[in-house]
Amino acid sequence: YGNFIDNLRVYVRGGTGGMGYPRLGGEGGRGGDVWFVARERTTLKSIRERYPQKRFIAGTGANSSVKALKGEKGKDCEVHVPPGISVLCDDGTQIGELNAAGERLLAARGGLGGSLATNFLPCKGQRRIVHLDLKLIADVGLVGFPNAGKSSLLSKISHAKPEIANYAFTTVQPELGKIMYADYKQISVADLPGLIEGAHANKGMGHKFLKHVERTKQLLLVVDISGFQLSIKTRFRTAFETILLLTKELELYKEELLTKPALLAINKMDLPCAKDNLNELMKQLQNPQDFLHLLQEEMIPANTLEFKDIIPISTYTGEGIEELKAHIRKCIDEEAEQENEEYRKKKLLLLQTS
């Protein structure tokens, strides 16, 4: 998966409380807590490099004494993590999420100080092993089979410089780029490792790819107009079959993904016969039910994706790139307006009820 790390297992332990002072009924200080704090420009890789032991332990509470009957609280331990982190226990249960910079999550609570209730003996802090699971947060997620031209498209619409080659699985780690508009608006785009048939069952990059799609606001399916074949052993798939298979993989992983707004970019329009293939594909997309017999029954998705726009492009000649950027902007703005409208309605409803 390249140098990119999207999962890290760490040990966290709250600080032990301080000793109580039995003769004067003194109370020891509470142990420090371990906090995860979301911060921009932080990566899981930098955490692993900076703390190779992957152990985070908070400070011990101060003992009670004649000078200070109430001991001071131990020093908290703050671990800076990237936004988009889910914190999971070893058994897979979720403790919480950190989605925006500045958000905090208590990972391990410090132990109580010694007091009359504990026979003046301190308590140990909470200890556990947790998994930091990163899901990239981007406005647009590029979805497609290997060699559909996702990396080429990202390099055309943004300043990202992904590795591009004419063999399958060039992209081995997610790449993030930003589309810059004339009015200084920025839209982040994630190029994610290529899906293959059976990705939902963790084949190929499987869940490593699909989990990053969850946090994107909208999907941009990139499809090769001439079709796709992974290897000699696998079947050739037309552009229409490719769209259905991509939809099926997303549906089997998590049905909610199909509710996201989606655009379809039909790439490699510079190839011969591309125009004829496009006309045929548009007919098939208008009445998909008439062409479902082309696929085996288990590969037909229960629900089809509704595309807001279908844009023919060529990353080689640059055809349709500006149009695609305009459609992405329009789609994102519409979603933001819809969210604002819902927020306004909720506020109005709260005012009315109060």
Side-chain angles (χ1 to χ4, degrees):
Y1 208 40
N3 292 323
F4 182 79
I5 296 170
D6 59 6
N7 195 291
L8 198 63
R9 190 168 175 262
V10 298
Y11 172 80
V12 290
R13 191 178 87 204
T16 307
M19 292 285 286
Y21 194 57
R23 213 170 72 197
L24 297 173
E27 194 179 313
R30 209 166 70 77
D33 305 317
V34 181
W35 292 87
F36 290 130
V37 184
R39 184 188 264 188
E40 295 287 357
R41 295 194 179 91
T42 307
T43 62
L44 291 183
K45 188 184 176 192
S46 67
I47 295 170
R48 195 179 70 172
E49 285 171 355
R50 196 171 172 190
Y51 307 100
Q53 300 291 322
K54 295 181 284 184
R55 289 168 68 86
F56 300 99
I57 299 164
T60 306
N63 293 337
S64 171
S65 64
V66 176
K67 289 179 183 175
L69 287 176
K70 172 89 172 151
E72 274 191 32
K73 183 179 184 284
K75 193 180 176 187
D76 285 351
C77 172
E78 285 195 356
V79 186
H80 293 128
V81 296
I85 286 284
S86 295
V87 183
L88 311 167
C89 285
D90 234 1
D91 61 0
T93 54
Q94 187 168 307
I95 301 165
E97 289 186 344
L98 295 162
N99 292 324
E103 286 186 8
R104 297 164 65 83
L105 179 76
L106 181 63
R109 195 178 290 280
L112 293 170
S115 64
L116 187 63
T118 63
N119 204 17
F120 299 100
L121 294 172
C123 300
K124 287 186 176 178
Q126 188 181 11
R127 59 178 75 194
R128 56 183 169 190
I129 289 166
V130 296
H131 292 262
L132 302 177
D133 190 36
L134 175 68
K135 292 174 186 172
L136 287 177
I137 298 174
D139 296 315
V140 182
L142 300 182
V143 179
F145 284 137
N147 271 46
K150 299 189 302 300
S151 298
S152 304
L153 178 60
L154 186 71
S155 67
K156 283 277 182 190
I157 61 176
S158 74
H159 297 294
K161 297 282 178 283
E163 189 185 334
I164 298 163
N166 62 351
Y167 57 86
F169 301 113
T170 319
T171 308
V172 291
Q173 63 186 48
E175 290 274 356
L176 270 176
K178 274 195 166 70
I179 308 175
M180 314 286 277
Y181 291 91
D183 61 352
Y184 303 105
K185 165 93 173 174
Q186 295 182 14
I187 288 176
S188 56
V189 183
D191 170 26
L192 306 156
L195 270 173
I196 62 164
E197 288 178 41
H200 69 276
N202 227 0
K203 280 188 187 174
M205 298 236 167
H207 292 180
K208 268 190 177 288
F209 159 82
L210 284 162
K211 72 172 187 178
H212 291 296
V213 183
E214 288 180 51
R215 293 280 174 97
T216 55
K217 288 179 187 170
Q218 71 176 47
L219 308 177
L220 174 58
L221 268 70
V222 185
V223 173
D224 186 337
I225 190 60
S226 56
F228 168 72
Q229 188 173 14
L230 185 64
S231 67
I232 304 161
K233 293 175 185 176
T234 58
R235 282 183 60 177
F236 173 80
R237 302 292 185 193
T238 63
F240 176 68
E241 290 175 321
T242 303
I243 293 164
L244 289 181
L245 284 167
L246 286 171
T247 308
K248 184 69 175 173
E249 289 303 330
L250 294 172
E251 181 184 82
L252 287 170
Y253 176 70
K254 205 168 256 190
E255 274 185 58
E256 298 92 270
L257 294 179
L258 300 187
T259 60
K260 288 180 184 285
L263 293 169
L264 175 62
I266 299 162
N267 193 18
K268 306 192 183 177
M269 287 304 295
D270 52 284
L271 296 175
C273 302
K275 292 274 188 288
D276 297 337
N277 289 344
L278 179 64
N279 292 335
E280 192 183 336
L281 177 62
M282 294 307 276
K283 277 182 208 164
Q284 290 170 325
L285 287 173
Q286 276 165 6
N287 300 299
Q289 300 302 322
D290 301 345
F291 300 94
L292 293 179
H293 63 273
L294 297 170
L295 281 169
Q296 291 108 303
E297 204 172 317
E298 66 271 13
M299 291 182 174
I300 299 166
N303 301 294
T304 51
L305 265 172
E306 293 292 324
F307 297 110
K308 290 206 164 193
D309 287 296
I310 298 169
I311 308 106
I313 61 163
S314 168
T315 52
Y316 183 70
T317 62
E319 177 198 335
I321 297 295
E322 288 305 314
E323 191 191 342
L324 178 64
K325 283 165 75 172
H327 279 294
I328 291 170
R329 171 75 185 265
K330 184 183 158 205
C331 201
I332 290 285
D333 288 349
E334 280 173 6
E335 279 299 300
E337 188 53 47
Q338 203 174 322
E339 278 176 25
N340 288 341
E341 191 59 42
E342 282 171 15
Y343 178 73
R344 282 197 291 269
K345 279 178 184 172
K346 274 182 189 172
K347 280 282 183 192
L348 197 64
L349 197 67
L350 279 169
L351 285 166
Q352 285 168 351
T353 52
S354 61

PDB file of all heavy atoms in Angstrom, residues 84 132 201 217 237 275 281 309 326 341:
ATOM      1  N   GLY A  84     -10.524  12.835  10.308  1.00  0.00           N
ATOM      2  CA  GLY A  84     -11.015  11.676   9.550  1.00  0.00           C
ATOM      3  C   GLY A  84     -10.701  10.364  10.234  1.00  0.00           C
ATOM      4  O   GLY A  84     -10.773   9.296   9.643  1.00  0.00           O
ATOM      5  N   LEU A 132      -6.343   3.329  15.366  1.00  0.00           N
ATOM      6  CA  LEU A 132      -6.659   4.597  14.712  1.00  0.00           C
ATOM      7  C   LEU A 132      -6.889   4.287  13.237  1.00  0.00           C
ATOM      8  O   LEU A 132      -5.963   3.911  12.522  1.00  0.00           O
ATOM      9  CB  LEU A 132      -5.502   5.590  14.880  1.00  0.00           C
ATOM     10  CG  LEU A 132      -5.107   5.921  16.322  1.00  0.00           C
ATOM     11  CD1 LEU A 132      -3.912   6.852  16.343  1.00  0.00           C
ATOM     12  CD2 LEU A 132      -6.260   6.537  17.085  1.00  0.00           C
ATOM     13  N   ALA A 201     -15.448  -8.246  -1.121  1.00  0.00           N
ATOM     14  CA  ALA A 201     -15.053  -9.416  -0.329  1.00  0.00           C
ATOM     15  C   ALA A 201     -13.567  -9.337   0.026  1.00  0.00           C
ATOM     16  O   ALA A 201     -12.929 -10.322   0.360  1.00  0.00           O
ATOM     17  CB  ALA A 201     -15.329 -10.689  -1.121  1.00  0.00           C
ATOM     18  N   LYS A 217     -17.883  13.426  -0.290  1.00  0.00           N
ATOM     19  CA  LYS A 217     -19.224  14.013  -0.417  1.00  0.00           C
ATOM     20  C   LYS A 217     -19.923  13.537  -1.675  1.00  0.00           C
ATOM     21  O   LYS A 217     -21.128  13.374  -1.708  1.00  0.00           O
ATOM     22  CB  LYS A 217     -19.119  15.541  -0.432  1.00  0.00           C
ATOM     23  CG  LYS A 217     -18.755  16.127   0.920  1.00  0.00           C
ATOM     24  CD  LYS A 217     -18.644  17.633   0.844  1.00  0.00           C
ATOM     25  CE  LYS A 217     -18.104  18.191   2.150  1.00  0.00           C
ATOM     26  NZ  LYS A 217     -17.766  19.613   2.011  1.00  0.00           N
ATOM     27  N   ARG A 237     -14.966  -6.574 -20.142  1.00  0.00           N
ATOM     28  CA  ARG A 237     -16.189  -5.876 -19.748  1.00  0.00           C
ATOM     29  C   ARG A 237     -16.360  -4.611 -20.581  1.00  0.00           C
ATOM     30  O   ARG A 237     -15.415  -3.826 -20.712  1.00  0.00           O
ATOM     31  CB  ARG A 237     -16.137  -5.475 -18.264  1.00  0.00           C
ATOM     32  CG  ARG A 237     -15.941  -6.634 -17.303  1.00  0.00           C
ATOM     33  CD  ARG A 237     -17.144  -7.536 -17.270  1.00  0.00           C
ATOM     34  NE  ARG A 237     -17.016  -8.596 -16.273  1.00  0.00           N
ATOM     35  CZ  ARG A 237     -17.806  -9.644 -16.227  1.00  0.00           C
ATOM     36  NH1 ARG A 237     -18.789  -9.789 -17.103  1.00  0.00           N
ATOM     37  NH2 ARG A 237     -17.647 -10.569 -15.304  1.00  0.00           N
ATOM     38  N   LYS A 275     -16.811   7.370 -30.449  1.00  0.00           N
ATOM     39  CA  LYS A 275     -18.119   8.026 -30.665  1.00  0.00           C
ATOM     40  C   LYS A 275     -19.239   6.985 -30.776  1.00  0.00           C
ATOM     41  O   LYS A 275     -20.300   7.135 -30.180  1.00  0.00           O
ATOM     42  CB  LYS A 275     -18.084   8.893 -31.927  1.00  0.00           C
ATOM     43  CG  LYS A 275     -17.176  10.124 -31.829  1.00  0.00           C
ATOM     44  CD  LYS A 275     -17.914  11.304 -31.209  1.00  0.00           C
ATOM     45  CE  LYS A 275     -17.120  12.585 -31.276  1.00  0.00           C
ATOM     46  NZ  LYS A 275     -15.988  12.659 -30.378  1.00  0.00           N
ATOM     47  N   LEU A 281     -23.534   3.317 -25.438  1.00  0.00           N
ATOM     48  CA  LEU A 281     -23.566   3.396 -23.977  1.00  0.00           C
ATOM     49  C   LEU A 281     -24.716   4.291 -23.494  1.00  0.00           C
ATOM     50  O   LEU A 281     -25.417   3.950 -22.538  1.00  0.00           O
ATOM     51  CB  LEU A 281     -22.229   3.925 -23.441  1.00  0.00           C
ATOM     52  CG  LEU A 281     -22.124   4.141 -21.923  1.00  0.00           C
ATOM     53  CD1 LEU A 281     -22.308   2.834 -21.164  1.00  0.00           C
ATOM     54  CD2 LEU A 281     -20.790   4.768 -21.544  1.00  0.00           C
ATOM     55  N   ASP A 309     -24.809  14.052 -14.013  1.00  0.00           N
ATOM     56  CA  ASP A 309     -24.337  14.424 -15.351  1.00  0.00           C
ATOM     57  C   ASP A 309     -23.435  13.331 -15.891  1.00  0.00           C
ATOM     58  O   ASP A 309     -22.750  12.644 -15.124  1.00  0.00           O
ATOM     59  CB  ASP A 309     -23.557  15.743 -15.314  1.00  0.00           C
ATOM     60  CG  ASP A 309     -24.452  16.946 -15.116  1.00  0.00           C
ATOM     61  OD1 ASP A 309     -25.288  17.206 -16.001  1.00  0.00           O
ATOM     62  OD2 ASP A 309     -24.309  17.614 -14.073  1.00  0.00           O
ATOM     63  N   ALA A 326     -16.498  22.236 -14.208  1.00  0.00           N
ATOM     64  CA  ALA A 326     -17.679  23.075 -13.979  1.00  0.00           C
ATOM     65  C   ALA A 326     -18.819  22.249 -13.382  1.00  0.00           C
ATOM     66  O   ALA A 326     -19.518  22.705 -12.464  1.00  0.00           O
ATOM     67  CB  ALA A 326     -18.119  23.708 -15.295  1.00  0.00           C
ATOM     68  N   GLU A 341     -30.102  24.815   3.557  1.00  0.00           N
ATOM     69  CA  GLU A 341     -31.564  24.905   3.602  1.00  0.00           C
ATOM     70  C   GLU A 341     -32.119  24.018   4.716  1.00  0.00           C
ATOM     71  O   GLU A 341     -32.997  24.440   5.487  1.00  0.00           O
ATOM     72  CB  GLU A 341     -32.138  24.481   2.236  1.00  0.00           C
ATOM     73  CG  GLU A 341     -33.624  24.767   2.048  1.00  0.00           C
ATOM     74  CD  GLU A 341     -33.984  26.242   2.188  1.00  0.00           C
ATOM     75  OE1 GLU A 341     -33.233  27.097   1.666  1.00  0.00           O
ATOM     76  OE2 GLU A 341     -34.996  26.519   2.845  1.00  0.00           O
TER      77      GLU A 341
END
